[in-house]
Amino acid sequence: MKISKKIISSIAFFGFGLLSTIASAQVDNSNPNAQSDANVQEIDIFFDNDSLLNDSIREIMKNRIIIFDSIQVDTSLYVKDLLLPEYIYTLPPVYTHYSSLDTVSPLKTMFSDIEALNWLEKESYKIRQAHDFRQNFFIRHPELVIHNLSNLPSPPKQFIAVADPDKAIIVIEEVGQTLNADDHNITAETKEYHWIKSFDGLVQFSQAYNSPNWYQGGNSHLNLLINAVYNVKLNQNYHPNLLFDTTIQYKLAMNSTPDDSLRSYNISEELFQINSKFGLKATKRWYYTFNVVFKTQFLNNYQANTRNMTAAFLSPGELNTSLGMTYNYTNPKKTVDFSLTLAPGSWNLKTCINRKMDVTQFDIKPGRKTVSQFGSSIESTLAWKIAYNITLKSRLFVFTDYSYLQGDLENTLSFSINKYLSTQIYVHLRYDSSTPRDPDTKWHTWQLREILSFGFAYKFATI
């Protein structure tokens, strides 16, 4: 078998570089003959005595100068110009996985005549050489292998870092295990968020076009829905005995009105609402609370084909304040957030300041602009993250002065398609005992609104 001198020199140099730092023999550098004998001795460790390459390798290594290091450290051998991996990490040798024995000699090249594959075959050959040298070293000299997969003093581990702004710590967890950050003392200071803020913005629309001669008739139309919700609350991890939660919401729903001879669009819904809650902790999940609810609209709205105004700024407007107790619950996974407020003492104010509107439809006496009502109220909210892209938000508010009852149940089911697109189903059921009967419909004290929409959504939050 003929092997080029360059290949033999490369293999010998690599084999000796792999073993030199674990040599137990000390060499007198002042004696060249002793140096050459030590070189040959180290090569004998790696290759069998009956190897066909021993004579050639011995002759080459006699002319090489080797400097020994009595301290075993991790080193790297740079062999870019040889048919070997560019960097060989030598000692101490560590075997980190199990592999089957390979009987193919590392010195046997397997190159094809295809020039386009030459670079790939060379890279494969380098990797194969390193693998086979490590295998031969492990088989022939297991006593020199300090660590292997079965007796590593500290197996490799993987960790993940999770920031928790609620607790102002960074928790380090091992993959596949659950570690207690307090027990392992692996915490780090983070920025303290005393106020938790969030914003949800939504712009959705629908459009339909019918040619004038469409066989079924019908009108073209365009619908637009804008909904913005901003929430700020006190972080109870830093203030466990206090409760502060404020939500500001603005909603606008508009649609084109091809059948209205006076206006090209109609405002089907407009709402500006502020909900604020201030509390002092009483027990584990109960708080003494003061609640404020205010809602109105800004734009004027009219009945179709008439100049009869149905809504305007503070017409109607409602302000409700109450004193009571609030129960708060959030599950450990933070997928369910529930709140219930019971207020035995509540004051409700209704306004209608626009003179073009009939104040009696809001239970206000003729000639007056406001009406005050004293009674009790109940408010309940639920935020449930059903899945990673499906959320349900529900709110129930009921007020009574024991002669009059008003209630609102709002449900919003949102489906997030991606970061910027979503579909939403909104259902609002309202009960008002003062609502006059409409002779054209069967609806009386009950009122219902439902909106199905699709469009652009944007969210941000402090945490």
Side-chain angles (χ1 to χ4, degrees), residues 91-341:
L91 299 177
V94 178
Y95 292 80
T96 59
H97 63 278
Y98 295 104
S99 62
S100 301
L101 291 178
D102 195 339
T103 59
V104 180
S105 171
L107 301 175
K108 184 178 180 180
T109 59
M110 293 177 290
F111 295 143
S112 66
D113 296 330
I114 304 177
E115 184 176 356
L117 297 178
N118 189 33
W119 68 272
L120 181 60
E121 292 171 343
K122 285 185 177 181
E123 293 298 324
S124 301
Y125 181 64
K126 292 178 183 180
I127 298 173
R128 179 63 177 273
Q129 280 186 312
H131 171 270
D132 288 351
F133 273 120
R134 286 172 57 84
Q135 174 179 289
N136 293 336
F137 181 78
F138 188 93
I139 295 173
R140 298 177 183 180
H141 308 287
E143 71 281 359
L144 299 180
V145 177
I146 300 176
H147 301 304
N148 59 58
L149 184 61
S150 62
N151 65 0
L152 287 177
S154 179
K157 298 179 180 179
Q158 292 183 338
F159 297 89
I160 57 174
V162 180
D164 189 347
D166 283 348
K167 298 181 180 179
I169 62 174
I170 294 177
V171 181
I172 309 298
E173 297 180 352
E174 183 180 349
V175 175
Q177 299 184 14
T178 301
L179 300 180
N180 190 319
D182 296 332
D183 295 341
H184 293 78
N185 194 29
I186 43 179
T187 63
E189 294 293 331
T190 61
K191 182 179 179 180
E192 296 183 356
Y193 289 92
H194 294 272
W195 297 97
I196 301 175
K197 306 171 185 178
S198 64
F199 173 82
D200 290 351
L202 185 70
V203 178
Q204 298 181 329
F205 66 92
S206 64
Q207 180 268 339
Y209 172 77
N210 293 326
S211 63
N213 61 341
W214 183 248
Y215 77 104
Q216 288 182 325
N219 296 315
S220 303
H221 66 271
L222 176 65
N223 296 330
L224 175 66
L225 173 64
I226 300 174
N227 187 25
V229 180
Y230 178 76
N231 176 264
V232 57
K233 60 183 178 181
L234 193 64
N235 192 337
Q236 291 185 304
N237 289 287
Y238 299 114
H239 308 278
N241 296 322
L242 299 176
L243 175 66
F244 178 87
D245 193 328
T246 296
T247 300
I248 302 175
Q249 178 183 12
Y250 181 73
K251 180 185 294 185
L252 176 64
M254 303 175 62
N255 61 276
S256 59
T257 55
D259 294 332
D260 193 332
S261 59
L262 300 177
R263 284 162 291 273
S264 59
Y265 68 92
N266 175 60
I267 300 175
S268 56
E269 181 182 15
E270 185 191 15
L271 174 66
F272 175 75
Q273 181 169 315
I274 300 176
N275 295 63
S276 291
K277 189 179 299 182
F278 312 89
L280 181 64
K281 193 169 187 177
T283 61
K284 184 177 181 180
R285 290 193 174 97
W286 285 93
Y287 295 81
Y288 302 108
T289 55
F290 174 72
N291 305 278
V292 178
V293 179
F294 170 75
K295 56 184 178 181
T296 185
Q297 61 283 319
F298 298 111
L299 304 178
N300 298 338
N301 198 15
Y302 301 86
Q303 290 182 351
N305 296 307
T306 70
R307 299 189 183 277
N308 297 331
M309 186 177 294
T310 59
F313 178 66
L314 291 179
S315 303
E318 291 187 30
L319 174 65
N320 182 277
T321 61
S322 60
L323 285 172
M325 296 195 71
T326 297
Y327 173 83
N328 277 349
Y329 171 76
T330 302
N331 68 337
K333 295 183 178 180
K334 296 185 179 181
T335 57
V336 176
D337 191 354
F338 174 76
S339 174
L340 173 64
T341 300

